[in-house]
């Protein structure tokens, strides 16, 4: 059985989970150890014990370790990317691309470890100096979803280690193989025992044990809104630091003056790549009436040409849905949309392929209104809705009329509308003539409203969550 990493030892779990390839249900990747509450407590205790020595380890050691991890991930991108695609179902280029991103994130934070910010300025009292420094928070609990099995763990673990924290990492139970491969690389880079711990397991056992432990100083979570709110309540009750990245219902506006080719490609990429299983996916296509019919016709044509198949086949453009329960949820929303009066132009059903997997045809709803459930709730599948609007003003109002606020996009050749949208979109990330998904690692990632809570992730912004400010005064 594949194991968990606790206090520097690879240990058996209390149970095992079979890791199944969603492209081919006859392919089992392996049986992975599931930790329980007690093992989670052991991992937390190990991280606590290791905290003071890691805190004082020195920035060169941290930079070197992170750099080695990044180098190893990049050197093994084909192998790791293939494992990721086999386990999660995104296409091979996407799996390898995500792996490269994870390597780049570790390299970036290797540099950031050497640039921990601080200031030294005069106090308003003559002769007194004020110094602002950053210190590690302590033990960080990291809880991640299945849709980016290596990139999201990387963008949480790398800054946690860079700023001198120790880590208890709980990946989603659907993607234990990628998590374990990453943990092996991290361990192999020469970290002292206990600085980094892996506990694969369920949210109820392992996740809740991390959230409620008084020994965990901060929790960084990415996942659903409902779970994120539970994490928020659990951490708030004991005043732990918390950072949440949750869902999206991201609008992509297409204006009459848009370049049609760019708009269609933005929609194809934003709505359907990674099987639509991205919190930044463009699930609401808000289209002005002058371009509406041409846009829908061209988009439908492109969607029907997309190759939906086994993630590991080179010609595949859209892999399977991740598992049976997610596929069931996607199909349920197809029924909900139909019952609400939306029109299905293409897709709307499960499809069969050579191997038995969770395949679904990319689906486009038209004649939808923004008040329908399919436009209010995150579906997390290869499904998008077109909402027809009169003009830019209505498009902006519809785009912002959502409980979410992660990402938004506009396709237009008008500088005036692009500039206005950048300013008035109520999302944390705004794209002009680009897909709503696909963000860089050296700038902040995060949203507003129900999408996010707490300091931003990635780039230099990560220092805010993964460190604690100290203000010192000296009179000498
Ligand atoms: P997703 O639909 O992306 O799996 P979830 O919010 O269910 O979103 O899961 C995200 C992560 O949170 C997973 O690692 C999951 O195991 C974990 N999790 C689920 N429930 C809880 C909980 N009550 N407390 C802490 N973590 C949880």
């Amino acid at each position: 059985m594949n194991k968990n990493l606790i206090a520097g030892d690879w240990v058996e779990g209390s149970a095992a989970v079979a890791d199944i390839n969603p492209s081919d249900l006859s392919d089992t990747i392996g049986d992975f150890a599931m930790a329980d509450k007690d093992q989670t407590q052991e991992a937390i205790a190990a991280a606590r014990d290791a905290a003071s020595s890691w805190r004082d380890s020195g920035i060169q050691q941290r930079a070197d370790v992170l750099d080695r991890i990044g180098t190893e991930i990049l050197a093994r991108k084909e192998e790791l990317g293939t494992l990721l695609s086999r386990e999660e179902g995104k296409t091979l280029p996407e799996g390898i691309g995500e792996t490269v991103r994870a390597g780049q994130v570790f390299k970036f934070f290797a540099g950031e470890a050497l640039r921990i910010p601080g200031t030294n300025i005069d106090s308003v009292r003559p002769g007194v100096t004020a110094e602002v420094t950053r210190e590690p928070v302590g033990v960080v609990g990291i809880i991640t979803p299945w849709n980016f099995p290596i990139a999201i763990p990387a963008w949480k673990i790398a800054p946690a280690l860079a700023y001198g924290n120790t880590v208890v990492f709980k990946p989603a139970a659907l993607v234990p193989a990628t998590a374990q491969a990453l943990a092996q690389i991290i361990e192999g880079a020469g970290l002292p025992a206990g600085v980094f711990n892996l506990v694969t397991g369920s949210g109820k056992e392992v996740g809740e044990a991390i959230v409620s432990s008084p020994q965990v100083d901060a929790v960084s979570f990415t996942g659903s809104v409902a779970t994120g709110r539970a994490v928020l309540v659990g951490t708030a009750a004991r005043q732990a630091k918390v950072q949440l990245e949750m869902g999206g219902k991201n609008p992509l506006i297409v204006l009459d003056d848009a370049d049609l080719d760019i708009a269609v490609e933005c929609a194809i990429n934003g709505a359907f790549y990674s099987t639509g299983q991205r919190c930044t996916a463009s699930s609401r296509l808000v289209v002005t009436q002058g371009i509406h019919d041409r846009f829908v016709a061209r988009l439908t044509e492109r969607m029907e040409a997309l190759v939906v198949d086994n993630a590991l086949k080179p010609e595949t453009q859209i892999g399977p849905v991740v598992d049976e329960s997610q596929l069931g949820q996607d199909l349920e929303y197809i029924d909900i949309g139909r019952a609400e009066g939306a029109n299905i132009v293409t897709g709307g059903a499960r499809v069969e392929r050579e191997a038995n997997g969770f395949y679904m045809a990319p689906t486009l709803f038209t004649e939808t209104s923004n008040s329908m459930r399919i436009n209010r709730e995150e579906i997390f599948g290869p499904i998008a809705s077109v909402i027809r609007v009169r003009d830019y003003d209505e498009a902006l109002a519809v785009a912002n009329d959502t409980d979410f606020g992660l990402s938004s996009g506009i396709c237009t050749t008008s500088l005036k509308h692009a500039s206005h949208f950048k300013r008035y979109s109520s999302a944390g990330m705004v794209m002009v003539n680009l897909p709503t998904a696909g963000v860089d690692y050296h700038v902040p990632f995060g949203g507003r409203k129900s999408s996010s809570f707490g300091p931003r992730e990635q780039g230099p912004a990560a220092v805010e969550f993964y460190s604690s400010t100290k203000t010192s005064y000296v009179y000498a």
Side-chain angles (χ1 to χ4, degrees):
M1 192 177 12
N2 292 295
K3 299 179 180 170
N4 285 309
L5 179 63
I6 300 175
D9 293 324
W10 290 96
V11 295
E12 302 282 354
S14 63
V17 63
D19 189 11
I20 310 284
N21 176 350
S23 296
D24 178 358
L25 307 187
S26 68
D27 175 29
T28 302
I29 294 145
D31 288 326
F32 284 82
M34 298 278 277
D36 58 17
K37 281 197 172 67
D38 289 345
Q39 288 179 315
T40 309
Q41 298 303 348
E42 285 168 30
I44 294 168
R48 173 57 60 203
D49 287 348
S52 62
S53 64
W54 184 242
R55 170 199 163 111
D56 296 332
S57 55
I59 57 175
Q60 188 64 55
Q61 185 183 349
R62 291 186 227 153
D64 290 345
V65 163
L66 291 167
D67 190 59
R68 279 198 289 275
I69 297 169
T71 301
E72 178 78 0
I73 292 173
L74 292 173
R76 291 170 51 192
K77 64 181 181 183
E78 304 275 342
E79 170 211 335
L80 294 166
T82 305
L83 178 67
L84 194 167
S85 293
R86 183 173 163 218
E87 176 174 60
E88 196 269 352
K90 62 183 63 176
T91 65
L92 206 44
E94 289 171 331
I96 293 171
E98 185 186 329
T99 304
V100 169
R101 170 57 53 92
Q104 290 165 335
V105 166
F106 276 100
K107 294 268 182 187
F108 176 81
F109 283 105
E112 289 298 274
L114 303 175
R115 285 188 290 266
I116 299 179
T119 50
N120 188 314
I121 55 172
D122 284 349
S123 161
V124 293
R125 285 164 283 170
V128 175
T129 305
E131 196 182 69
V132 183
T133 48
R134 295 267 175 186
E135 296 182 355
V137 183
V139 176
V140 180
I142 291 178
I143 302 176
T144 56
W146 48 261
N147 65 329
F148 284 92
I150 195 164
I152 293 179
W155 79 52
K156 294 179 190 294
I157 294 166
L161 297 176
Y163 297 118
N165 304 284
T166 57
V167 171
V168 177
F169 168 42
K170 190 207 103 52
L174 273 178
V175 288
T178 306
Q180 189 171 91
L182 176 63
Q184 279 162 350
I185 290 173
I186 293 173
E187 191 215 11
L191 281 173
V195 171
F196 171 83
N197 303 271
L198 168 73
V199 273
T200 303
S202 74
K204 274 255 152 278
E205 284 267 320
V206 177
E208 283 185 12
I210 291 172
V211 169
S212 62
S213 169
Q215 299 298 320
V216 175
D217 301 292
V219 176
S220 181
F221 166 89
T222 300
S224 63
V225 175
T227 308
R229 290 198 174 142
V231 170
L232 178 59
V233 169
T235 46
R238 57 184 188 82
Q239 284 184 270
K241 216 169 175 183
V242 66
Q243 172 184 62
L244 311 172
E245 288 301 340
M246 300 171 285
K249 198 69 199 171
N250 310 293
L252 175 70
I253 293 177
V254 179
L255 295 184
D256 286 355
D257 63 23
D259 177 314
L260 189 59
D261 290 337
I262 290 178
V264 169
E265 287 319 304
C266 285
I268 288 284
N269 176 322
F272 304 112
Y273 281 10
S274 298
T275 321
Q277 299 175 147
R278 294 187 284 192
C279 49
T280 49
S282 330
S283 47
R284 295 184 299 141
L285 308 173
V286 184
V287 186
T288 49
Q289 53 195 0
I291 198 170
H292 178 277
D293 293 356
R294 278 181 295 141
F295 174 77
V296 169
R298 184 80 75 82
L299 179 59
T300 308
E301 196 180 306
R302 279 283 284 115
M303 285 172 66
E304 287 173 352
L306 288 172
V307 179
V308 180
D309 206 335
N310 192 320
L312 299 179
K313 284 190 178 172
E315 65 276 16
T316 298
Q317 291 168 296
I318 310 285
V321 171
V322 75
D323 73 351
E324 188 155 23
S325 114
Q326 183 62 52
L327 179 62
Q329 177 174 315
D330 296 348
L331 295 172
E332 201 178 314
Y333 274 106
I334 300 293
D335 292 340
I336 291 169
R338 274 208 185 92
E340 288 180 309
N343 176 41
I344 294 183
V345 189
T346 184
R350 184 174 185 166
V351 291
E352 300 294 323
R353 290 294 177 263
E354 191 186 332
N356 180 23
F358 300 120
Y359 299 106
M360 180 167 173
T363 301
L364 190 66
F365 283 118
T366 56
E367 311 310 332
T368 75
S369 79
N370 198 42
S371 59
M372 292 177 176
R373 280 183 63 194
I374 52 168
N375 284 327
R376 311 239 40 113
E377 298 167 17
E378 186 176 49
I379 301 175
F380 224 62
I383 302 168
S385 302
V386 177
I387 304 169
R388 188 199 303 255
V389 291
R390 252 183 342 272
D391 53 17
Y392 168 73
D393 290 341
E394 190 185 353
L396 176 65
V398 165
N400 286 343
D401 176 12
T402 169
D403 291 339
F404 295 101
L406 187 57
S407 177
S408 69
I410 189 167
C411 291
T412 181
T413 51
S414 155
L415 180 61
K416 182 174 154 217
H417 286 140
S419 306
H420 191 273
F421 185 67
K422 272 194 295 170
R423 185 172 295 229
Y424 292 103
S425 169
S426 61
M429 300 179 287
V430 183
M431 313 286 176
V432 177
N433 294 320
L434 289 165
T436 54
V439 291
D440 294 334
Y441 57 89
H442 64 307
V443 290
F445 177 98
R448 300 177 181 178
K449 300 194 266 184
S450 296
S451 291
S452 300
F453 186 87
R456 288 282 187 264
E457 301 201 74
Q458 303 204 53
V463 74
E464 198 53 50
F465 181 73
Y466 292 100
S467 69
S468 181
T469 298
K470 180 174 280 174
T471 312
S472 319
Y473 293 93
V474 176
Y475 178 55

